[in-house]
Amino acid sequence: MASSRTKLLAIIALFALPIVASTIAFHFFPPGRTTNYGEFVSPTVPFPAAPLGRQSGGPFRFEELRGRWVLIASDSGDCPAACAGKLTLMRQVRLALGRDAARVERVFVADDSKPLPADALAAHEGLVVLSPPRGLVLPPVPLNDRAHLYVADPEGRVMMRFPADADAKRVLGDLKRLLKASQIG
């Protein structure tokens, strides 16, 4: 009898040991920080349905960018030094993606409806420049948040943000991981 009871206790201990060990490890050796540089936006924010205008003319809706990853920055259309830095960072990160660069679009929103100067626009070929129609108040995030750069997934949800003066290498690392893990876009 004692032999079967010992076997039963050994089997229970065999299955209980990993649970006990993982609980102890979690409480005494907490998991470290994540490897991502950007901050995840939780819950994700869908693209706004409000129509925006292209600086080059004509209406624009974010549905046009579905199926692609999107880097979004916002600032004054006068494009002060901080704005120029954001545009340069977005261009460099996209170019550094190499063959995956075609999977990423760049969008700049002139949140004060002033047009981006031609000299600032010339250095950023392929940049989609948008401005809200007069009288339209933009939602607070991400179209008029000058403090951050945003990343939207191919489904049209803003899901990550970086500080406006972000480290380009770390942003690139995050985007590479996202593109590698993504089966869409």
Side-chain angles (χ1 to χ4, degrees):
M1 257 317 146
S3 151
S4 61
R5 191 173 291 192
T6 305
K7 287 180 186 178
L8 179 63
L9 289 175
I11 292 173
I12 291 172
L14 182 67
F15 287 104
L17 186 62
I19 296 169
V20 171
S22 64
T23 303
I24 290 171
F26 181 78
H27 288 291
F28 291 105
F29 306 102
R33 292 186 39 85
T34 60
T35 59
N36 57 298
Y37 172 59
E39 176 185 347
F40 286 106
V41 176
S42 182
T44 58
V45 179
F47 281 142
L52 298 169
R54 291 180 185 266
Q55 181 169 319
S56 58
F60 175 85
R61 291 197 179 272
F62 273 102
E63 287 83 30
E64 296 175 30
L65 300 178
R66 290 228 182 222
R68 294 185 134 170
W69 291 88
V70 182
L71 286 170
I72 305 167
S74 174
D75 214 312
S76 170
D78 291 335
C79 203
C83 163
K86 286 186 238 181
L87 294 178
T88 301
L89 180 127
M90 290 192 323
R91 182 188 68 217
Q92 290 174 338
V93 166
R94 183 175 180 272
L95 288 174
L97 287 171
R99 67 176 186 204
D100 286 331
R103 296 174 64 188
V104 178
E105 285 290 332
R106 296 167 297 138
V107 173
F108 175 76
V109 180
D111 58 11
D112 57 4
S113 299
K114 295 180 183 176
L116 194 64
D119 58 333
L121 191 56
H124 302 284
E125 185 178 332
L127 178 70
V128 178
V129 182
L130 306 174
S131 62
R134 295 206 185 276
L136 175 68
V137 177
L138 292 173
V141 174
L143 295 181
N144 64 355
D145 181 4
R146 296 180 181 189
H148 296 93
L149 293 174
Y150 287 88
V151 176
D153 67 13
E155 297 295 321
R157 297 177 304 248
V158 177
M159 47 83 61
M160 185 176 264
R161 71 180 186 179
F162 300 98
D165 59 346
D167 178 7
K169 287 183 181 181
R170 294 178 76 186
V171 172
L172 176 63
D174 280 1
L175 277 177
K176 281 183 176 180
R177 278 191 295 279
L178 286 170
L179 293 173
K180 184 177 179 181
S182 173
Q183 297 300 316
I184 55 176

